[in-house]
Amino acid sequence: MPSHDTSRARFRLSDDHISVFRHLVKGEPIPTFLSPAGKGLKDCGLINDAGAFSADVAPLVATLMDPVTVVTVEMLGEHGQLTHELTISNGYVFSRESWPGETESSYAQVEPQMLVWALAHMVNLQRTAPISAGVPCVESTVGVLDAGLDSLSTGPVGSEESVEHVAKALARTGSLSDPALSLLANMIGELRSSWRMTAAWHGEDEGKRGTKVRGFGIWDCGPLGYWHRELPAEPVREGQVGPESPLKLVPVPAKRVWEMITEILPDENEIASR
């Protein structure tokens, strides 16, 4: 059931509710399978019987239907994959945050000057104490990493036992040795989430319009800090990465992660005129 909080300009909406908005914006009838979603929007007052949007939800609809830049956060953690977004239009900025096991997402209006803060909040960016990793980076292959991650599902429960089990799986690949092997095993054992953030917008190159994309990937390893996945470098497209693809993880402070968030956002000169 959709709902909204006018005091904070936020909404709980499913993909079906957004689809209803799209049909109404295009002047199309609502398909039968979306009738329950349409009824829910009417019942909570976000649309009326004529299909007109309420004043509360109109800015959100306008933003989603005509975005200038969309920043997507794909986050993988204990509860599976969650996708969050920040949509920027000419007049408004709205965030969308998913919740594990829920079909509805939380949409909220964001003050444009606070959009970097909103993105940092999506990935739970926290100040971290300096760490001494012992190595400048961890380098291996995606196949070796997959072996370590896969071992988590077959290993014992418990921090020390789990890390030891992961280390044995990494050692069997024959591609890593200490100190990098032990460090990667501990990183996998402490991994809170891995996420990638991607910004997409309509740009122009030598007079040709097209979609421009920038992004980066991070491991949040809790007490072992943040690690930038330099390789495979983002944006990674489907089918581009295989077991032999190089892997490179570099430790970065939270301040640098904040800077990376700001760097993927396009400036006005990069966005194609309409």
Side-chain angles (χ1 to χ4, degrees):
M1 181 68 182
S3 58
H4 66 292
D5 175 6
T6 57
S7 65
R8 294 180 58 189
R10 59 179 181 168
F11 309 84
R12 283 184 59 87
L13 301 166
S14 69
D15 289 345
D16 282 354
H17 298 134
I18 303 302
S19 294
V20 170
F21 291 157
R22 293 188 186 280
H23 284 287
L24 293 176
V25 168
K26 294 178 180 178
E28 300 172 346
I30 299 174
T32 302
F33 75 94
L34 290 177
S35 294
K39 182 179 184 301
L41 292 170
K42 290 179 183 178
D43 290 345
C44 72
L46 294 181
I47 62 174
N48 62 21
D49 291 337
F53 304 114
S54 72
D56 293 328
V57 81
L60 171 63
V61 175
T63 301
L64 296 180
M65 300 305 124
D66 191 22
V68 172
T69 302
V70 177
V71 184
T72 304
V73 176
E74 296 167 276
M75 179 173 285
L76 187 62
E78 182 180 352
H79 298 287
Q81 181 169 317
L82 294 174
T83 301
H84 314 300
E85 286 183 343
L86 191 81
T87 305
I88 306 168
S89 71
N90 283 323
Y92 302 95
V93 178
F94 276 89
S95 64
R96 176 178 76 87
E97 297 190 38
S98 303
W99 188 268
E102 297 289 336
T103 59
E104 294 179 349
S105 298
S106 176
Y107 291 80
Q109 189 169 349
V110 175
E111 167 63 33
Q113 293 181 336
M114 299 292 288
L115 63 86
V116 175
W117 181 91
L119 289 168
H121 176 71
M122 282 184 185
V123 297
N124 192 33
L125 184 63
Q126 302 287 323
R127 291 182 180 179
T128 54
I131 62 168
S132 177
V135 295
C137 63
V138 173
E139 294 186 90
S140 186
T141 66
V142 171
V144 172
L145 172 62
D146 287 342
L149 293 173
D150 290 344
S151 70
L152 290 174
S153 61
T154 61
V157 177
S159 180
E160 292 184 7
E161 295 84 354
S162 177
V163 170
E164 183 179 350
H165 183 74
V166 172
K168 289 179 180 178
L170 294 175
R172 284 194 291 270
T173 67
S175 301
L176 276 177
S177 58
D178 281 329
L181 189 152
S182 295
L183 176 57
L184 183 57
N186 278 279
M187 289 168 60
I188 292 174
E190 296 287 354
L191 188 63
R192 291 178 179 173
S193 67
S194 62
W195 52 266
R196 64 177 186 170
M197 186 178 293
T198 308
W201 67 94
H202 289 297
E204 195 169 303
D205 188 8
E206 296 182 353
K208 295 182 179 179
R209 292 173 61 94
T211 301
K212 304 296 181 181
V213 180
R214 275 199 296 264
F216 66 99
I218 293 289
W219 276 29
D220 179 353
C221 295
L224 295 180
Y226 294 106
W227 293 72
H228 176 207
R229 177 169 48 77
E230 288 192 358
L231 294 175
E234 293 292 342
V236 175
R237 293 174 174 81
E238 186 175 353
Q240 188 177 358
V241 174
E244 301 305 316
S245 298
L247 172 74
K248 184 177 181 181
L249 297 164
V250 180
V252 290
K255 179 181 178 181
R256 178 58 190 143
V257 179
W258 178 279
E259 293 170 347
M260 294 167 73
I261 294 173
T262 66
E263 290 168 0
I264 68 168
L265 298 170
D267 59 36
E268 292 183 359
N269 295 328
E270 294 180 280
I271 298 173
S273 57
R274 299 194 171 196

